[in-house]
Amino acid sequence: MTTSLNVTNHSFTDCHALAVALAERVADQLRASLVERDVALLAVSGGRTPLHFFEQLSQAALDWPKVQITLVDERWVDEQDPRSNARLLREHLLRHAAAAARFVPLYTGAATPEAGQEEANRRVHALPLPFDVVVLGMGMDGHTASFFPGGDQLESALDPRRPPGVVPMRAPDAGEPRITLTLSALLQTRQLFLHIEGEAKREVLAQARLGLGDAAHYPVRAVFAHSPVPVSVYGCP
Ligand code: 6PG
C-alpha cells in the first residue's frame, strides 16, 4: 500500500485477490456503521469491473436487512435491459446473504431521466446520508459515475456547492441517457473507493491525477480535488 496526498493505493497482482480484499474492507465498514447507527448505506457503480467484487460481497456475513444499497449512476433503460445497472446488481450483488438488503434504484420507469429526476431525487433524499461506503469505477475517457467528458450537465453535476441529489446526463460516449448522483452526494461518504482493472486504466488515472494533456479535463479529477476523505484506489492488471 502506498499513500500520497489524499490517496491510498492498493495494488494487486491478481484481480480475484483484489475483489476479496475490497469486499472485506467494504463489509468491515458496513459492519462498523451498523454498530454505530443501526443502518448502513452503500453506493456502488455499474459496468463490468465490479462483478467479482459483487460476488464476494454478496456472501459477506452482515446484518443485510439493515443495509441500503443504491447506485452512483444508472443508464436510463428498463431493468430487463442487459445495460441496466440495477439488473447487474440483482444478478451479482443482491443474492446469497445480500438478497436481504434494501435496494434503492435510481431508474423510475419515466420516459426520460429528466422526467424521472424529481422522483429519483426524492429517493436519494430519503436515504440516511452520509454513505458509509461509495465504490466508484472509471472509464478510459476519465469518466466516473456518469460524469462524462462532454456531458450536457457535467458542470452542474460536478459543482461541489450543489445540494446532494441526482442529475440527468447525456453525452456522446455514454451509450444512452443516464442519471447520476451529483459529486456533492457521492462525496458525502465515510469511505470512498475507486476500483480499476487493467494497465491502461492505471495509466489514464495517473495522467488524470497529474492533469496532463487531455487528462486535465478528465472528470475523475474532481473526485480527487474535492473528496474530504482519502480516495482508496484498488487496482489490478
Ligand atoms: C456505468 C458506471 C461507470 C463505470 C465505468 C467503468 O454505469 O457505466 O457506473 O461509471 O464505473 O464506465 O465501467 P467498466 O467497469 O465497464 O469499465
Side-chain angles (χ1 to χ4, degrees):
M1 183 179 95
T2 58
T3 304
S4 61
L5 200 62
N6 213 24
V7 179
T8 316
N9 279 305
H10 303 258
S11 297
F12 293 77
T13 48
D14 165 8
C15 292
H16 177 72
L18 182 159
V20 171
L22 182 56
E24 270 172 19
R25 273 284 298 280
V26 170
D28 281 348
Q29 178 61 43
L30 297 178
R31 253 178 238 120
S33 304
L34 286 172
V35 171
E36 269 178 48
R37 59 171 183 156
D38 213 32
V39 61
L41 186 56
L42 167 68
V44 292
S45 299
R48 303 314 295 169
T49 306
L51 291 192
H52 297 301
F53 157 63
F54 286 166
E55 300 284 357
Q56 294 297 320
L57 184 61
S58 71
Q59 299 170 63
L62 259 170
D63 194 352
W64 284 106
K66 294 181 177 168
V67 178
Q68 297 190 32
I69 304 178
T70 193
L71 285 156
V72 301
D73 69 328
E74 179 60 287
R75 297 114 184 245
W76 206 258
V77 292
D78 190 85
E79 216 181 281
Q80 311 318 317
D81 191 295
R83 298 236 341 130
S84 161
N85 284 338
R87 175 176 174 160
L88 182 90
L89 253 63
R90 291 199 195 280
E91 289 178 351
H92 297 277
L93 177 57
L94 303 167
R95 341 170 29 221
H96 306 296
R102 175 165 172 242
F103 174 53
V104 179
L106 299 181
Y107 178 72
T108 65
T112 63
E114 289 79 8
Q117 183 178 12
E118 201 177 313
E119 167 60 20
N121 257 327
R122 241 195 309 274
R123 294 180 189 178
V124 170
H125 294 153
L127 295 171
L129 289 172
F131 292 106
D132 295 297
V133 177
V134 170
V135 185
L136 295 171
M138 188 192 75
M140 287 296 292
D141 58 357
H143 82 262
T144 188
S146 283
F147 307 147
F148 282 90
D152 62 344
Q153 300 282 344
L154 184 62
E155 207 176 317
S156 162
L158 293 182
D159 182 350
R161 293 156 310 179
R162 192 190 163 103
V166 292
V167 291
M169 189 71 70
R170 292 164 189 269
D173 294 330
E176 58 282 291
R178 308 265 185 128
I179 198 150
T180 186
L181 291 185
T182 57
L183 181 68
S184 58
L186 60 81
L187 292 186
Q188 274 202 31
T189 184
R190 294 173 169 187
Q191 284 196 353
L192 181 58
F193 296 94
L194 178 61
H195 178 188
I196 52 169
E197 290 188 359
E199 279 308 322
K201 280 194 184 176
R202 192 201 296 267
E203 190 53 33
V204 166
L205 183 61
Q207 301 282 323
R209 287 186 48 212
L210 290 170
L212 296 175
D214 287 349
H217 307 291
Y218 284 175
V220 71
R221 278 173 67 77
V223 172
F224 290 94
H226 295 286
S227 177
V229 295
V231 185
S232 296
V233 179
Y234 273 65
C236 61

